[in-house]
Amino acid sequence: MATIPGSVGLPILGDKSYEFYKDPVKFCQKNMSSNKSRLFYTRFLNKPTAFICSNKAVHELLTDHNDSIELGYKAFMGEIFGDNILFSDGEDARNLRHSLQQLFTPDSVDTYQLTIDSVVDKAVSAISTEEPVCIYSLMKKVCTEICLSLFLGLNFSDASQTADTIVALTTTHWHGIISVPLPLKLPMTNGSSYSQALHAKDSLLKIIISKREENSGKFVKSVEDTATTSTDSLREVFINNHLLLFTSALVPKALSSLLTSLIMEVGKEDGGLQEKLLSDPAMMEAVLLEVQRLYPPFLGGRRIVKKDVVLGGYKIPEGHSIMYVTQAAHRDPEAFTDPDKFNPYRWINCSTEEKDKLFCFGAGARNCIGQHLVGKILQTIVVRLLCSWKFKLIGDQDFSHKWLPVSKPKQDVKVQFSSRNA
Ligand code: HEM
């Protein structure tokens, strides 16, 4: 059987991780072009790695091959988070998902609406029209407050000092996530950030335990109710570590990434797109889908082959790694016409199969369990923002994106708000 084009090179010497981290999009484009293939082999993190940039092959990987592949995150993030669903596979993962999914069903998510509304209402009514606003900073503040209010029952008005401490700890913890010690020296690695992050993790876990003792918030209680593990100590690990995962900076950063990209693209359009978003739910959905397509917060994901697998007609042997590249799969010309163009109209009256070409939230058995909640938060913020304000992008701005560790425009996108009723 044919093997994927490319070369896995020599250990250490042939490693391409540095080149990838410097500019992941250019790295994929260069390799796709030199190998004349959207699937190519390279040496990454010192392992033979198949990069998958074809939309069809990413779909096949995520939906068809669950028994032959494992998630590949534990080696990088296991210590910084402790055991959780992201580092489990097989039966364990299925059981954890079964428990955790109850927290994020559409019905459960509806019960979070009041908390989301109260944070968003306060933040949106405080927007200044005096001077341009940096949209990413604003969105990150709102999304952090939503996540900590929902997942820890924190009240930012009553306990602003505790909230500030927690936000500072999640930031230090985050710096550890992106500076994980790796077998190779990479541009984003830094040993001291990593040890500070481990301390931040311990402090966050202490806060989580004290919040549980205070009986604070419905979500904490629901996580406790879903914990069905066999022993008391495993139950404690399940509850505390998943609360740590949900309250980590990862989620607000991903939410702010999508919101910033949305406001940037909507702000570029004239012709009444802002008004259309408010009056036409189909247009709102189309814009949200198109933003996910062009600007997925996570560039892609990682897998380890545990049994030889055939993907896109190529054999990938046991022990090799796979990187699926969502960003490239979303711009595969075989899947989308004019793939680099922001065109929300492509999603109007589209079929389910078309939507299945998006991997912003992964796909298949290990897809994102939080996506209904994400949809609810995004819709609430966008609708509430547009009900009160019109916005305009300021002057000449650089809208190019960076992709790691979470995508966002390289420069702060600045917008001027004005009252919708003025
Ligand atoms: C914009 C926000 C978010 C984005 C873009 C996002 C994206 C993703 C993606 C791409 C995956 C699959 C990773 C893979 O295939 O390797 C994933 C998995 C997951 N997400 Fe999200 N996510 C978001 C928000 C959330 C939220 C709000 C929660 C819960 C509070 C959440 C919980 C999870 C969990 C637990 C998994 C692992 C599922 C498993 O391993 O079976 N995510 N997410």
Side-chain angles (χ1 to χ4, degrees):
M1 183 173 293
T3 50
I4 292 176
S7 156
V8 300
L10 290 172
I12 311 277
L13 288 177
D15 192 82
K16 301 290 181 211
S17 307
Y18 185 80
E19 212 184 304
F20 171 83
Y21 280 107
K22 223 167 55 181
D23 190 338
V25 169
K26 202 161 141 199
F27 175 84
C28 291
Q29 282 167 346
K30 192 178 130 196
N31 278 280
M32 284 190 285
S33 152
S34 62
N35 290 299
K36 299 190 174 50
S37 166
R38 294 188 82 85
L39 282 70
F40 60 87
Y41 251 123
T42 188
R43 180 166 290 271
F44 177 60
L45 300 176
N46 206 22
K47 258 184 164 275
T49 303
F51 271 70
I52 314 297
C53 301
S54 129
N55 193 283
K56 242 191 212 154
V58 171
H59 189 268
E60 184 188 333
L61 171 76
L62 297 180
T63 53
D64 292 354
H65 295 298
N66 232 346
D67 292 340
S68 316
I69 55 171
E70 291 182 341
L71 263 63
Y73 304 120
K74 187 163 184 166
F76 307 106
M77 298 190 285
E79 197 182 10
I80 210 96
F81 277 115
D83 283 344
N84 70 35
I85 186 171
L86 272 180
F87 313 131
S88 63
D89 287 289
E91 191 61 23
D92 281 351
R94 276 191 287 279
N95 290 338
L96 287 173
R97 274 182 77 93
H98 180 74
S99 299
L100 292 169
Q101 271 171 334
Q102 299 165 46
L103 302 163
F104 302 105
T105 60
D107 283 348
S108 302
V109 167
D110 280 345
T111 67
Y112 308 146
Q113 185 74 59
L114 273 180
T115 308
I116 301 171
D117 282 344
S118 80
V119 175
V120 176
D121 280 351
K122 192 176 63 152
V124 168
S125 47
I127 285 177
S128 164
T129 52
E130 308 262 296
E131 51 191 24
V133 173
C134 292
I135 211 68
Y136 181 77
S137 312
L138 174 68
M139 291 302 142
K140 189 131 146 284
K141 191 165 176 292
V142 181
C143 295
T144 303
E145 192 166 334
I146 293 174
C147 291
L148 292 177
S149 308
L150 267 182
F151 301 140
L152 282 189
L154 216 63
N155 184 329
F156 274 60
S157 316
D158 295 351
S160 63
Q161 216 176 343
T162 320
D164 288 348
T165 309
I166 297 178
V167 171
L169 285 169
T170 58
T171 306
T172 310
H173 184 239
W174 170 254
H175 289 147
I177 298 170
I178 59 171
S179 70
V180 283
L182 294 169
L184 292 147
K185 187 88 193 108
L186 297 173
M188 286 191 288
T189 63
N190 174 341
S192 81
S193 310
Y194 190 75
S195 51
Q196 283 168 20
L198 291 177
H199 286 299
K201 168 194 161 191
D202 291 342
S203 307
L204 284 167
L205 283 171
K206 279 188 195 134
I207 293 171
I208 286 168
I209 291 165
S210 79
K211 288 273 144 205
R212 288 179 57 202
E213 282 163 2
E214 279 168 25
N215 221 347
S216 90
K218 220 160 45 95
F219 189 85
V220 170
K221 177 85 184 54
S222 306
V223 178
E224 290 175 345
D225 290 345
T226 58
T228 52
T229 31
S230 50
T231 65
D232 281 356
S233 64
L234 281 179
R235 186 172 177 274
E236 286 303 293
V237 169
F238 170 92
I239 298 166
N240 296 336
N241 287 5
H242 285 96
L243 285 170
L244 178 73
L245 174 66
F246 301 150
T247 47
S248 81
L250 206 65
V251 174
K253 275 183 184 281
L255 286 163
S256 324
S257 157
L258 286 172
L259 285 159
T260 304
S261 299
L262 183 145
I263 288 170
M264 176 192 88
E265 285 296 350
V266 172
K268 281 182 199 165
E269 304 270 325
D270 34 22
L273 185 53
Q274 296 185 31
E275 288 72 22
K276 254 185 248 163
L277 281 183
L278 270 183
S279 62
D280 182 355
M283 199 60 206
M284 173 71 88
E285 192 196 1
V287 166
L288 286 168
L289 291 170
E290 187 65 345
V291 169
Q292 288 171 34
R293 187 185 72 81
L294 275 184
Y295 307 111
F298 302 124
L299 182 86
R302 190 163 188 267
R303 296 290 186 269
I304 306 287
V305 179
K306 65 170 189 188
K307 253 196 289 176
D308 291 1
V309 71
V310 176
L311 178 66
Y314 295 110
K315 180 176 156 189
I316 310 180
E318 180 189 335
H320 283 199
S321 299
I322 297 177
M323 275 289 295
Y324 73 85
V325 187
T326 306
Q327 188 275 345
H330 284 180
R331 294 176 187 230
D332 180 348
E334 248 193 48
F336 298 104
T337 41
D338 245 340
D340 291 325
K341 189 169 186 281
F342 179 81
N343 172 17
Y345 294 94
R346 70 175 84 235
W347 297 106
I348 301 285
N349 296 325
C350 73
S351 62
T352 316
E353 288 80 60
E354 283 296 305
K355 290 186 197 166
D356 286 346
K357 292 179 186 170
L358 292 182
F359 314 111
C360 179
F361 298 101
R366 301 305 297 265
N367 71 352
C368 177
I369 60 170
Q371 56 187 301
H372 291 303
L373 175 59
V374 172
K376 174 80 76 191
I377 295 173
L378 297 180
Q379 289 248 2
T380 305
I381 295 179
V382 176
V383 168
R384 182 67 184 79
L385 205 61
L386 289 172
C387 279
S388 298
W389 308 109
K390 294 183 265 195
F391 59 85
K392 221 176 145 152
L393 296 171
I394 295 298
D396 259 352
Q397 300 190 54
D398 173 9
F399 292 126
S400 59
H401 261 63
K402 73 174 195 111
W403 293 96
L404 291 173
V406 178
S407 79
K408 69 177 178 102
K410 281 183 191 148
Q411 309 290 327
D412 247 332
V413 173
K414 290 197 180 131
V415 302
Q416 179 68 54
F417 285 98
S418 58
S419 168
R420 176 145 304 277
N421 304 316

